[in-house]
């Protein structure tokens, strides 16, 4: 059955436009802020290796499945799945995938926007030269002072939320395509320059060793769960973001190829960020495992020492704000088109409501770094809990449901006519990974990390 519906929200102008938008969603704070600090907290090389395996064997099949659902349904995640269920004679309860995804997106956005606020603050500090010649101790003190002030965090969080709301209220595609097309390559170039600086000025050999030498003695099931959760988070999987972007995809485009490109670019950026950060962490005597402040402390030391660091650093933080912003657009977009389609809101109303909700929830994250830092649940602050639940539980659960639905509940011919995989071997690989490998791997890791100790070897 050929499926030739089009989206009422318009289509991407080309395959490149989709790749750019999906990469814009994938590449963000997850690659540059989160990947280095959780790699630092989880022992380095082995974590990186497990992360890459998760991208390959879990991430890519789920990404293809998710984009497929969006492209076929052409509506918001809930309605797309409903439409497909009707065509495939399946229970309409599969729609919960979409509902879960929409809520997860807002939960993630609530803390994502707080951290994006930090990058805005650091962009302005760098621009004003406040960081010139700062040393590791100075950078750490400055960061700690910064996060202990709830009002300041709130101001930046508010600013970022407003910018996000304004942009999405104007419609995503017009501006996004051309902006990503110019700024994403710039980010990559700056990141490369940073790696080169770090190679000359940092302890590159030991940084590289930390990142690439796998020491499995530090790996527990929890480490594996965190690496897998990071793969979901970084690739924007399991919550409908790529389903929405897939719904704007025109009919003649190969989903599998496109997804492999997006996943590779995303992983490249994360690895480059690690290569830039770790050598400087070591050479400046900072701690690998210092948590969410890691890049703000190391990068400021690097920019402070670099000739032209004030300009370079400002540009870097600005591009990081931009990367965060293209990701937050994709976190909020599923809820927005759902509100528009289901409740007939205007784009403006839907954007104001969704961004307002994420803003309000974000206050929990803000106080978890200062006045509320003693308030913990299961030993985690509000920020840690939100991050843990969304990345390590909600996104993987969404992912499992997506691959099981696509792998087992959609007639094979319908998938084949869309994915057009020619080689028989690749068709086998596709079905094996969506039907068996990806869902079992995710379940296996989650159950073990929760202490069920399932051993199949
Ligand atoms: N992938 C984005 C990042 O790495 C975050 C994100 C997660 C965006 C889930 C959309 C959906 O920063």
């Amino acid at each position: 059955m050929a499926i030739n519906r089009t989206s009422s929200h318009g289509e991407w102008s080309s395959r490149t436009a989709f790749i750019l938008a999906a990469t814009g969603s994938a590449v963000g704070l997850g690659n540059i802020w989160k990947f280095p600090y959780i790699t630092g907290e989880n022992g380095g090389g082995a974590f990186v290796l497990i992360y890459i395996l998760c991208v390959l064997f879990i991430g890519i099949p789920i990404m293809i499945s998710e984009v497929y659902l969006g492209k076929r349904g052409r509506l918001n995640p809930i309605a797309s799945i409903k439409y497909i269920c009707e065509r495939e004679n399946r229970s309409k309860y599969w729609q919960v995938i979409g509902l879960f995804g929409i809520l997860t997106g807002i939960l993630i956005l609530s803390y994502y926007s707080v951290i994006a606020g930090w990058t805005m603050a650091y962009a302005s500090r760098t621009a004003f030269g406040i960081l010139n010649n700062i040393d590791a101790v100075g950078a750490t003190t400055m960061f700690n002072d910064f996060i202990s002030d709830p009002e300041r965090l709130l101001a930046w969080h508010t600013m970022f939320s407003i910018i996000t709301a304004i942009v999405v209220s104007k419609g995503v595609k017009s501006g996004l395509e051309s902006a990503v097309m110019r700024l994403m390559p710039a980010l990559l170039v700056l990141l490369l320059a940073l790696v080169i600086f770090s190679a000359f000025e940092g302890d590159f050999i030991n940084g590289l060793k930390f990142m690439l030498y796998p020491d499995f003695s530090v790996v527990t099931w929890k480490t594996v769960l965190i690496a897998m959760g990071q793969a979901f988070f970084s690739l924007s999987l399991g919550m409908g973001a790529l389903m929405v972007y897939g719904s704007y995809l025109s009919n003649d485009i190969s989903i599998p190829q496109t997804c492999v490109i997006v996943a590779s670019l995303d992983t490249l950026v994360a690895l480059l960020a690690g290569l830039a950060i770790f050598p400087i962490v070591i050479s400046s005597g900072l701690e690998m495992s210092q948590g969410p402040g890691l890049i703000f402390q190391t990068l400021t030391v690097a920019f402070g020492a670099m000739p032209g660091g004030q300009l370079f650093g400002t540009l870097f933080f600005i591009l990081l704000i931009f990367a965060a912003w293209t990701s937050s657009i994709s976190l909020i977009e599923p809820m927005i088109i759902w509100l528009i389609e289901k409740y007939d809101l205007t784009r403006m109303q839907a954007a104001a409501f969704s961004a307002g909700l994420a803003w309000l929830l974000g206050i929990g994250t803000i106080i978890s770094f200062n006045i509320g830092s003693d308030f913990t649940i299961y030993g985690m602050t509000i920020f840690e809990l939100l991050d843990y639940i969304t990345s390590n539980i909600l996104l993987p659960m969404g992912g499992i449901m997506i691959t099981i639905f696509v792998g087992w509940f959609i007639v094979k011919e319908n998938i084949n006519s869309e994915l057009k995989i020619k080689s028989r071997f690749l068709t086998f690989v596709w079905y094996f990974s969506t039907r068996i490998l990806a869902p079992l791997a995710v379940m296996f890791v989650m159950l073990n990390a929760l202490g069920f100790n399932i051993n199949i070897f």
Side-chain angles (χ1 to χ4, degrees), residues 24-32 105 108 112 230 232-237 239 241-242 266 323-324 326-328 330-331 395:
S25 162
V27 173
L29 296 174
N31 309 59
I32 292 169
I108 296 180
Y112 202 85
Q230 172 63 9
F232 276 93
F233 185 88
S234 189
L235 297 172
S236 307
L237 293 180
M239 51 67 67
L242 294 182
D266 185 68
T326 52
S327 300
S328 51
S330 74
L331 283 164
L395 294 180

Side-chain angles (χ1 to χ4, degrees), residues 152-404:
R152 227 183 283 178
L153 299 193
L154 184 65
W156 290 110
H157 167 58
T158 308
M159 198 122 70
F160 188 81
S161 304
I162 292 176
I163 298 178
T164 306
I166 291 177
V167 175
V168 286
S169 69
K170 290 197 162 38
V172 168
K173 282 177 298 293
S174 52
L176 192 65
E177 271 182 36
S178 56
V180 181
M181 183 101 71
R182 291 191 186 92
L183 294 170
M184 207 46 93
L187 181 66
L188 212 60
V189 170
L190 250 54
L191 209 49
L192 273 173
L194 207 53
V195 174
I196 295 172
F197 172 80
S198 164
F200 283 109
E201 298 294 322
D203 187 344
F204 201 63
I205 302 295
N206 283 321
L208 205 61
K209 208 166 131 204
F210 176 75
M211 206 171 135
L212 300 182
Y213 176 75
D215 172 7
F216 285 100
S217 68
V218 294
V219 173
T220 61
W221 278 111
K222 192 161 171 228
T223 324
V224 183
L225 179 70
I226 294 173
M228 183 180 82
Q230 172 63 9
F232 276 93
F233 185 88
S234 189
L235 297 172
S236 307
L237 293 180
M239 51 67 67
L242 294 182
M243 222 185 279
V244 169
Y245 282 8
S247 76
Y248 308 146
L249 201 51
S250 66
N251 277 309
D252 48 341
I253 283 164
S254 155
I255 298 178
Q257 251 181 24
T258 321
C259 289
V260 170
I261 297 175
V262 174
S264 312
L265 283 172
D266 185 68
T267 309
L268 176 72
V269 175
L271 295 178
L272 284 178
L275 279 182
I277 305 282
F278 296 128
I280 303 172
V281 176
I282 298 176
S283 67
S284 52
L286 289 159
E287 281 291 320
M288 284 291 180
S289 57
Q290 63 197 317
L294 185 68
I295 67 155
F296 296 98
Q297 292 159 53
T298 32
L299 286 180
T300 45
V301 173
F303 296 143
M306 198 185 276
Q310 189 171 343
L311 180 67
F312 187 89
T314 313
L315 271 179
F316 184 84
F317 278 122
I318 290 179
L319 287 172
L320 190 54
I321 298 169
F322 174 77
W325 178 45
T326 52
S327 300
S328 51
I329 289 172
S330 74
L331 283 164
I332 204 174
E333 185 70 2
M335 180 163 226
I336 290 186
I337 59 166
W338 176 61
L339 292 175
I340 295 175
E341 287 171 5
K342 172 111 181 168
Y343 297 103
D344 257 344
L345 297 192
T346 62
R347 211 170 223 289
M348 189 94 84
Q349 291 164 332
F353 176 80
S354 322
L357 186 61
W359 175 83
L360 202 62
L361 292 170
I363 293 172
T365 291
I366 290 179
I367 60 168
S368 73
F369 290 105
N370 36 66
I371 45 177
S373 60
D374 291 336
F375 177 73
T376 54
I377 302 172
Y378 293 117
M380 289 183 265
T381 64
I382 300 179
F383 159 70
E384 287 164 346
L385 191 71
L386 270 175
D387 177 40
Y388 190 85
I389 293 180
T390 49
S391 303
N392 302 339
I393 298 175
L394 293 174
L395 294 180
M397 297 258 280
I400 291 190
M401 291 196 282
I402 288 170
T403 95
I404 293 184

Side-chain angles (χ1 to χ4, degrees), residues 82-96:
K82 179 161 171 246
Y83 168 85
I84 297 171
C85 288
E86 281 161 6
R87 297 294 168 295
E88 300 282 338
N89 287 322
R90 297 298 177 186
S91 155
K92 61 177 192 319
Y93 290 114
W94 286 105
Q95 287 177 71
V96 296

Side-chain angles (χ1 to χ4, degrees), residues 417-444:
S417 73
E418 180 64 67
L419 297 187
K420 301 189 193 72
I421 307 178
K422 302 226 171 55
S423 113
R424 285 184 53 189
F425 172 68
L426 285 180
T427 310
F428 169 79
V429 171
W430 155 254
Y431 277 108
F432 178 71
S433 44
T434 38
R435 290 191 148 181
I436 297 163
L437 186 65
L440 275 187
V442 178
M443 247 181 286
F444 184 68

